[in-house]
């Protein structure tokens, strides 16, 4: 027998991991748990059973959190927060460092308990999950140490509510808790109903670290418990990881509350294999992409797109590899694929696959009895097929072919999600051409499922918004220091009994697609000066005008492909042309508001210079991640930004919103000052003479109260900002839940547009998405 024949005939023997220590820990608590509030465990309440998915055997009884238990946890967090925030960054860093070290010291216990609770193979929890947990606490210990010097003008949000899923219970805890604590917040965490045990073990470990009481609180329970946490009026931020459907409900529930919100939701991530790829490596990567954690991963590479010329050969290699995967007891170290988390999830996977009209191939590998589903490949589906569009959240891969790179990008982006993507090719030029074109928050090149605390992770579109990890992730847990003041409604000048009319009648139009356009409804309103002079009429836009403006903005999205240098030149040119008409604009502002307008015009010109300067200087970063490679954090345009501009600064406010949006490559639909719109309708004459491509900036005048809904609800708008003095923040956030677009609203608080708060990095951050592109290198 040759050496090759020996290797081919070898089979893996069992290598079970002992669960004695985990069972002993459960026994110490009599396998019954209350909540962890104010540094200790409460008496159990309304307990329910958690089970080991692999054996269906009961593990523990945990408490169903009530509104009262959530309230107690929030009150404990609120009491602890001021003192925790007043600690020096070094003091918080010491606690986070201690937690990182304790995770390492208890790593085997945490790994085994995680596997028992979730059904994932011990190799995954031991070699991936728990080391990443420690890494996050180490990294954020460093963040805490540097925070005061790096972000001196920022403050913690307060009490953060975290709701996490069942697929990575401990890792998701670390993703939420580490940055929150580093920034000076306290936390109330609600783990998943199926998998609460490692969170409770971690809570116990925090006492070994000496973490002050109330800084971290854990309330177990089902969706009702999570809903109570989301709804609690004394929570300042909600961080949620879970399904898109629940994320939409949370977006709607938090609308208008002023709560900060980040959502990391579902995905249908493409895995693109070009014909020049190392096919054997691509197969191994695909095994990790879709069968890691039994496919129960939000960023799983569940849509295989393979180039036509190699598709048959690739599928053959893939089927052969599938047949060699080992399924069974997750505590066995030789197992590749473990159990599905719960019979309910197993039934969902089974139903979706059985309803498929494609060709189904199931791995020819023994399947244990119980909550298991075999690795599955489905081919022959169309782009509109349910399985090509909907998240299965199981070990099921669907596959299509493509001919050209352009077709690959089109197929990859043909989904409502935008979480992650993988590109497999030996051509670095092709990889770096494709990666920026993919609508995904994370792109892996010749690799998959790479994560690190230094590299931001998060999605676009219905995969949610916000990032976790890196400095960009930390920004979701801080706010500008200082107190804001209420913004008083700004009213138009009242119509006089007898208007003063001078000169020719003047009716300003809308500005859509580079052209002046009459409002669809045919209505306009008179604009009077403070002394009763009729200054002109402004069109009253409606939902059809918003639709037309959004279509024009979508058609101009090639603007994002222009260089920062080119965008800067146009912004300078706009400033130049505005400067040439400065006296005219100053008079217009004074005529409308009764206040001298020269300072506002000067500030507007300066602001255009600011964003011309930033257009080619808002750089990304090469993140220091522990691989032979680099993770590039690239700032990309959001897409189409709709904005309700400030009422109180008719020209400066509009330019302060438009400038960062177009500097970063976005197109925009602007609704100018409601009471003083004529500065904006004069300004589009400047845009027409400044080489700005048609559709990049569109201006629809009219009522903020009436236009907020169609703008925020439009499915082709990617982000909505509102600095209006009208009470529209609630409506905007509620309407945005339809496609989970990003929002930035003022909640009725004022901003000094003449001060540094009227410009800068905050605007640039809201005008961009961070895309993390992982590029391994070396042989």
């Amino acid at each position: 027998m040759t050496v090759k024949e020996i290797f081919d005939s070898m089979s893996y023997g069992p290598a079970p991991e002992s669960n004695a220590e985990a069972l002993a820990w459960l026994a110490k608590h009599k396998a019954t748990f209350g909540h962890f509030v104010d540094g200790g465990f409460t008496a159990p309440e309304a307990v329910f059973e958690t089970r080991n998915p692999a054996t269906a055997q009961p593990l523990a009884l945990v408490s169903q959190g009530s509104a009262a238990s959530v309230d107690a946890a929030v009150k404990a967090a609120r009491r602890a927060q001021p003192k925790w925030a007043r600690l020096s960054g070094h003091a918080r860093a010491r606690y986070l460092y201690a937690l990182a070290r304790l995770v390492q010291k208890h790593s085997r216990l945490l790994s085994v308990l995680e596997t028992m609770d979730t059904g994932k193979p011990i190799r995954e929890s031991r070699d991936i999950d728990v080391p990443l947990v420690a890494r996050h606490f180490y990294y954020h210990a460093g963040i805490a140490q540097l925070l005061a010097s790096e972000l001196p003008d920022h403050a913690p949000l307060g009490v953060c509510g975290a709701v996490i899923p069942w697929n990575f219970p401990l890792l998701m805890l670390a993703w939420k808790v580490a940055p929150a604590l580093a920034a000076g917040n306290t936390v109330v965490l609600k783990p998943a109903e199926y998998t609460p045990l490692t969170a409770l073990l971690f809570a116990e470990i925090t006492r070994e670290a000496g973490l002050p009481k109330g800084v971290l609180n854990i309330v177990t329970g089902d969706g009702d418990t999570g809903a109570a946490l989301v709804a609690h009026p004394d929570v300042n931020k909600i961080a949620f990881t879970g399904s898109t459907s629940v994320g939409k409900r949370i977006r709607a529930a938090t609308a208008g509350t002023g709560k900060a919100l980040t959502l990391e939701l579902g995905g249908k991530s493409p895995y693109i294999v070009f014909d020049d790829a190392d096919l054997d490596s691509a197969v191994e990567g695909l095994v990790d992409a879709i069968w890691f954690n039994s496919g129960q991963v939000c960023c799983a590479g569940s849509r295989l797109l393979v180039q036509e010329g190699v598709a048959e050969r690739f599928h053959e290699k893939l089927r052969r590899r599938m047949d060699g995967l080992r399924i069974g007891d997750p505590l066995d170290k030789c197992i590749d694929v473990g159990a599905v988390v719960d019979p309910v999830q197993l039934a969902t996977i089974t139903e979706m696959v059985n309803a498929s009209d494609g060709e189904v191939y199931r791995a020819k590998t023994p399947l244990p009895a119980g909550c298991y589903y075999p690795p599955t490949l489905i081919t022959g589906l169309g782009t509109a097929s349910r399985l090509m569009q909907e998240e299965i959240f199981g070990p099921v891969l669907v596959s299509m072919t493509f001919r050209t790179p352009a077709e690959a990008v089109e197929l990859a982006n043909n989904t409502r999600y935008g979480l992650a993507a993988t590109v497999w090719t030996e051509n670095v030029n092709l990889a770096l051409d494709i990666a920026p074109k993919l609508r995904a928050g994370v792109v892996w090149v010749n690799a998959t499922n790479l994560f690190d605390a230094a590299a931001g992770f998060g999605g676009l579109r219905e995969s949610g918004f916000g990032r976790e990890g890196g400095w960009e992730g930390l920004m979701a847990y801080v706010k500008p220091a200082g107190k804001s003041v209420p913004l008083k409604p700004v009213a138009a000048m009242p119509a006089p009994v007898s208007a003063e009319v001078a000169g020719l009648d003047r009716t300003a139009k809308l500005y859509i697609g580079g052209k002046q356009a009459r409002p669809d409804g045919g209505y306009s309103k008179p604009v009077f000066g403070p002394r009763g002079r009729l200054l002109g009429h402004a069109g009253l836009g409606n939902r059809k005008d918003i639709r037309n403006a959004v279509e024009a903005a979508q058609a101009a999205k090639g603007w994002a492909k222009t260089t920062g240098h080119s965008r800067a030149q146009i912004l300078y040119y706009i400033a130049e042309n505005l400067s040439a008409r400065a006296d005219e604009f100053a008079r217009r502002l004074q005529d409308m508001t009764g206040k001298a307008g020269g300072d506002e015009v000067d500030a507007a010109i300066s602001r255009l210079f600011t964003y011309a300067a930033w257009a080619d200087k808002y750089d990304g970063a090469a993140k220091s991640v522990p691989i032979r490679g680099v993770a590039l954090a690239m700032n990309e345009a959001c897409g189409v930004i709709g904005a309700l501009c400030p009422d109180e600064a008719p020209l400066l406010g509009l330019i302060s919103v438009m400038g960062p949006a177009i500097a970063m490559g976005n197109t925009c639909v602007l609704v100018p000052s409601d009471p003083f719109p004529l500065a904006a309708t004069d300004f589009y004459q400047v845009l027409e003479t400044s080489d700005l491509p048609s559709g990049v900036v569109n201006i629809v005048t009219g009522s903020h109260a009436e236009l907020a809904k169609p703008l925020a609800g439009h499915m082709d708008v990617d982000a909505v900002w509102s600095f209006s003095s009208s009470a529209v923040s609630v409506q905007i956030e509620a309407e945005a839940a339809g496609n989970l677009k990003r929002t930035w609203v003022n909640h009725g608080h004022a901003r000094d547009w003449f001060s540094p708060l009227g410009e800068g990095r905050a605007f640039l951050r809201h005008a961009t998405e961070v895309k993390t592109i992982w590029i391994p290198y070396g042989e």
Side-chain angles (χ1 to χ4, degrees):
M1 180 176 283
T2 66
V3 172
K4 180 180 183 303
E5 290 171 337
I6 292 172
F7 274 107
D8 287 342
S9 63
M10 286 177 67
S11 61
Y12 286 83
E17 177 77 32
S18 171
N19 62 359
E21 292 295 325
L23 292 174
W25 179 78
L26 291 169
K28 183 180 75 171
H29 290 272
K30 299 180 181 179
T32 306
F33 296 89
H35 311 296
F36 186 78
V37 176
D38 209 19
F41 285 102
T42 65
E45 61 167 330
V47 294
F48 61 92
E49 194 173 67
T50 68
R51 291 177 174 268
N52 184 329
T55 65
Q57 295 300 308
L59 286 174
L61 297 174
V62 296
S63 295
Q64 169 61 34
S66 62
S69 51
V70 169
D71 184 60
V74 172
K75 286 178 176 175
R78 179 60 64 195
R79 286 192 302 270
Q81 197 274 325
K83 185 176 180 180
W84 178 251
R86 285 195 299 269
L87 290 178
S88 68
H90 174 64
R92 290 199 300 274
R94 289 171 68 97
Y95 284 113
L96 288 162
Y97 171 76
L99 289 171
R101 293 290 290 123
L102 285 164
V103 166
Q104 290 180 318
K105 292 176 183 178
H106 295 291
S107 61
R108 191 53 62 96
L109 174 59
L110 288 163
S111 301
V112 172
L113 189 63
E114 190 82 326
T115 287
M116 293 169 64
D117 212 14
T118 65
K120 66 174 61 182
I122 185 66
R123 287 189 297 134
E124 294 177 7
S125 56
R126 180 196 65 196
D127 299 342
I128 299 171
D129 293 18
V130 173
L132 274 174
V133 171
R135 164 68 174 152
H136 270 78
F137 282 100
Y138 274 122
Y139 179 84
H140 286 94
I143 289 277
Q145 183 78 23
L146 300 174
L147 194 61
S149 60
E150 293 300 307
L151 295 173
D153 297 325
H154 287 75
L157 295 172
V159 174
C160 297
V163 182
I164 60 174
W166 41 260
N167 53 346
F168 293 93
L170 193 60
L171 184 55
M172 293 298 100
L173 176 151
W175 281 20
K176 306 284 189 289
V177 171
L181 299 192
N185 304 283
T186 53
V187 177
V188 178
L189 180 132
K190 205 290 285 185
E193 176 185 4
Y194 295 149
T195 56
L197 296 182
T198 46
L200 295 171
L201 173 55
F202 182 83
E204 191 171 273
I205 288 172
T206 64
R207 296 197 293 200
E208 297 180 38
L211 193 70
K213 294 179 179 180
V215 171
L216 174 64
N217 307 272
I218 294 175
V219 181
T220 56
D222 60 13
D224 290 340
T225 309
L229 179 58
V230 169
H232 198 287
D234 204 25
V235 170
N236 303 105
K237 174 189 168 63
I238 295 295
F240 173 76
T241 297
S243 70
T244 294
S245 59
V246 175
K248 289 183 176 182
R249 294 202 295 271
I250 291 174
R251 168 71 286 181
T254 57
T257 63
K259 289 184 173 77
L261 179 64
T262 49
L263 300 172
E264 196 265 285
L265 307 176
K268 195 69 181 175
S269 301
Y271 189 99
I272 306 170
V273 180
F274 286 95
D275 56 9
D276 67 336
D278 179 338
L279 297 188
D280 291 323
S281 295
V283 166
E284 289 305 310
L286 186 54
V287 168
D288 184 39
I290 183 58
W291 292 304
F292 174 64
N293 200 15
S294 298
Q296 299 168 120
V297 182
C298 55
C299 57
S302 55
R303 281 189 303 144
L304 171 62
L305 305 176
V306 58
Q307 201 155 13
E308 237 177 46
V310 296
E312 185 176 346
R313 186 153 54 101
F314 187 83
H315 285 145
E316 180 183 347
K317 288 176 177 286
L318 179 60
R319 292 187 188 101
R320 186 163 61 246
R321 184 67 178 89
M322 289 168 62
D323 292 343
L325 293 173
R326 297 173 298 282
I327 308 171
D329 177 9
L331 282 174
D332 189 338
K333 291 185 282 288
C334 79
I335 289 300
D336 297 309
V337 181
V340 174
V341 74
D342 188 83
V344 172
Q345 182 64 18
L346 180 64
T348 299
I349 298 167
T350 303
E351 181 275 325
M352 292 184 74
V353 174
N354 289 347
S356 166
D357 56 357
E359 182 179 338
V360 179
Y361 182 85
R362 294 181 175 87
K364 296 175 182 177
T365 183
L367 191 68
C371 206
Y372 293 89
Y373 197 87
T376 300
L377 169 66
I378 304 177
T379 54
L381 298 172
T383 55
S385 167
R386 179 189 179 195
L387 294 191
M388 290 297 296
Q389 293 294 328
E390 293 188 20
E391 188 176 35
I392 302 171
F393 224 65
V396 180
L397 176 68
V398 295
S399 180
M400 291 186 68
T401 61
F402 66 88
R403 293 183 178 180
T404 65
E407 186 183 5
V409 170
E410 185 176 355
L411 290 172
N413 291 338
N414 183 24
T415 172
R416 61 195 175 108
Y417 298 109
L419 188 52
T422 298
V423 178
W424 215 281
T425 173
E426 292 296 287
N427 184 338
V428 67
N429 292 326
L430 178 61
L432 297 181
D433 177 59
I434 295 295
K437 297 175 181 177
L438 298 175
R439 293 290 288 154
V442 179
V443 178
W444 294 294
V445 176
N446 291 341
T448 195
N449 280 346
L450 298 178
F451 307 98
D452 186 64
F457 180 87
L460 315 173
R461 300 192 286 192
E462 294 197 18
S463 289
F465 49 79
R467 294 293 179 266
E468 296 186 283
W471 283 101
E472 57 267 41
L474 184 87
M475 296 306 297
Y477 291 91
V478 295
K479 63 183 179 181
K483 293 184 178 180
S484 58
V485 298
L487 174 61
K488 296 178 180 179
V490 180
M493 296 299 172
V497 175
S498 177
E500 177 190 340
V501 181
L504 289 175
D505 177 73
R506 184 173 183 182
T507 301
K509 298 179 182 178
L510 313 182
Y511 185 63
I512 297 174
K515 299 176 182 179
Q516 299 181 36
R518 289 186 174 88
D520 172 80
Y523 290 96
S524 61
K525 69 174 183 179
V527 180
F528 295 97
R531 297 183 179 179
R533 180 184 170 198
L534 179 64
L535 303 177
H537 289 78
L540 290 175
N542 62 20
R543 63 180 181 84
K544 289 186 178 179
D545 296 310
I546 292 293
R547 178 198 65 190
N548 294 339
V550 173
E551 287 178 357
Q554 283 284 349
K557 287 178 77 171
W559 174 249
K561 298 178 182 177
T562 61
T563 65
H565 172 64
S566 296
R567 296 195 295 270
Q569 287 185 85
I570 289 175
L571 281 160
Y572 282 128
Y573 196 15
I574 294 170
E576 176 187 333
N577 287 332
L578 177 59
S579 179
R581 297 174 60 180
D583 292 342
E584 174 191 340
F585 274 87
R587 285 193 301 272
R588 171 65 89 183
L589 291 170
Q590 184 165 7
D591 288 345
M592 285 192 299
T593 67
K595 301 175 184 177
D599 289 346
E600 183 169 343
V601 175
D602 290 343
I605 294 168
S606 174
R607 197 135 295 169
L608 286 165
F609 265 64
T610 293
Y611 289 113
W614 273 118
D616 57 0
K617 298 175 186 67
Y618 190 54
D619 298 325
K623 297 302 184 83
S624 179
V625 291
I627 63 166
R628 282 205 308 163
V630 65
L632 301 178
M634 309 294 290
N635 294 317
E636 294 189 336
C638 292
V640 175
I641 295 177
L644 302 179
C645 300
D647 290 321
E648 67 275 23
L651 179 65
L652 176 60
L654 181 140
I655 287 175
S656 297
V657 170
M658 180 201 77
I662 67 174
M664 295 297 101
N666 301 281
T667 58
C668 54
V669 176
L670 305 178
V671 182
S673 172
D674 193 342
F676 309 123
L678 297 184
T681 56
D682 290 348
F683 182 67
Y684 65 57
Q685 298 169 9
V686 172
L687 298 179
E688 288 178 322
T689 59
S690 301
D691 293 342
L692 186 72
S694 300
V696 172
V697 174
N698 305 273
I699 297 173
V700 179
T701 55
S703 165
H704 287 188
E706 294 181 11
L707 296 179
K709 181 176 181 178
L711 186 61
H714 200 295
M715 300 298 279
D716 278 341
V717 172
D718 300 293
V720 178
W721 302 352
S722 175
F723 303 102
S724 174
S725 67
S726 300
V728 294
S729 295
V730 178
Q731 187 176 45
I732 287 173
E733 291 185 333
E735 290 293 329
N739 67 343
L740 291 170
K741 59 174 66 67
R742 289 171 58 180
T743 60
W744 188 22
V745 298
N746 61 5
H747 295 293
H749 289 93
R751 181 181 292 266
D752 183 354
W753 294 99
F754 288 87
S755 78
L757 291 176
E759 64 180 6
R761 287 183 177 271
F763 288 82
L764 299 171
R765 282 196 301 271
H766 283 280
T768 53
E769 297 279 8
V770 176
K771 173 180 281 183
T772 303
I773 303 176
W774 289 77
I775 308 172
Y777 51 70
E779 290 295 327

